[in-house]
Structures are given as C-alpha cells and as structure tokens.
Amino acid sequence: MAKKDRTTDAAREKDREKWMARFQVRLAMQPGVDRAVVLQAVKEVTTHCADAGEHPQAAFGDPDAYAVQAAARLVPADRAERARRHGAAVDALDSVLKRARDVTGL
C-alpha cells in the first residue's frame, strides 16, 4: 500500500511542477513582467499552496488565466502599456524587414 501512496504522491508532485512551469512561462510572456514579478508571483503561489495544503490548480485554476491575472495585479499599468507599445513597434519593424528580405530575395 505504501508504494501506491508514493506513486500517487510522485504523480501529484509532477502535476504541481507542470502547473508551476506553465504559470511561470505564461507570466513571463505578459507585457511588463520582469524577473522580480515572476519571483514574487511564484512565492505567493508556493506559500499559499504550502499553507493551505492545496494544489495550485485547485487554488488558482488554469495557469494561463492566473498568469494574466497576476500580471495585471503585479505590473504597474504604465509599465505594461509601455511594454505593449514596444512589442508592437518591434513586431512592425520585424514585419517590414521580412517584407524587404522577400522583395530583395535574401
């Protein structure tokens, strides 16, 4: 019986790690999110789950959706907007460069 418990515990731990990894990646992709924001959010999730004994999925739901919520809560609106504008400008420049390469045949 103990072996089954260890197998179940290992599966739950792996599932928790997958949730956390996806959350971190999705959070890092949000506009204006830096390393400090990711570390703060991970600490909050880890602390809550340890204190409450909950799985992150049960406590926070979908990692993608929670990443968006956490970024909105932790990143100042002006910094997020600045990052969005910068990303849009970079995307536009990349598009122009790609078209130029296509025209020139490079």
Side-chain angles (χ1 to χ4, degrees):
M1 191 70 157
K3 185 172 183 169
K4 185 172 182 166
D5 290 342
R6 279 183 277 170
T7 303
T8 303
D9 289 346
R12 286 178 50 89
E13 180 62 20
K14 186 171 180 104
D15 190 48
R16 186 193 69 75
E17 289 173 1
K18 282 182 179 179
W19 190 98
M20 290 297 292
R22 185 170 181 110
F23 170 65
Q24 290 177 54
V25 168
R26 297 297 185 187
L27 181 60
M29 293 171 59
Q30 299 304 307
V33 171
D34 60 10
R35 183 174 187 266
V37 170
V38 172
L39 291 174
Q40 181 181 354
V42 167
K43 182 179 178 182
E44 289 174 0
V45 169
T46 304
T47 301
H48 173 83
C49 290
D51 291 347
E54 289 183 292
H55 186 281
Q57 180 74 35
F60 301 101
D62 179 61
D64 297 345
Y66 189 65
V68 172
Q69 293 172 6
R73 182 174 45 83
L74 297 172
V75 177
D78 62 327
R79 187 166 89 189
E81 183 55 37
R82 208 169 31 251
R84 277 188 204 91
R85 282 195 313 266
H86 177 76
V90 169
D91 289 347
L93 179 60
D94 186 50
S95 177
V96 168
L97 291 174
K98 183 178 178 188
R99 279 189 253 141
R101 272 186 257 129
D102 290 345
V103 168
T104 61
L106 296 175

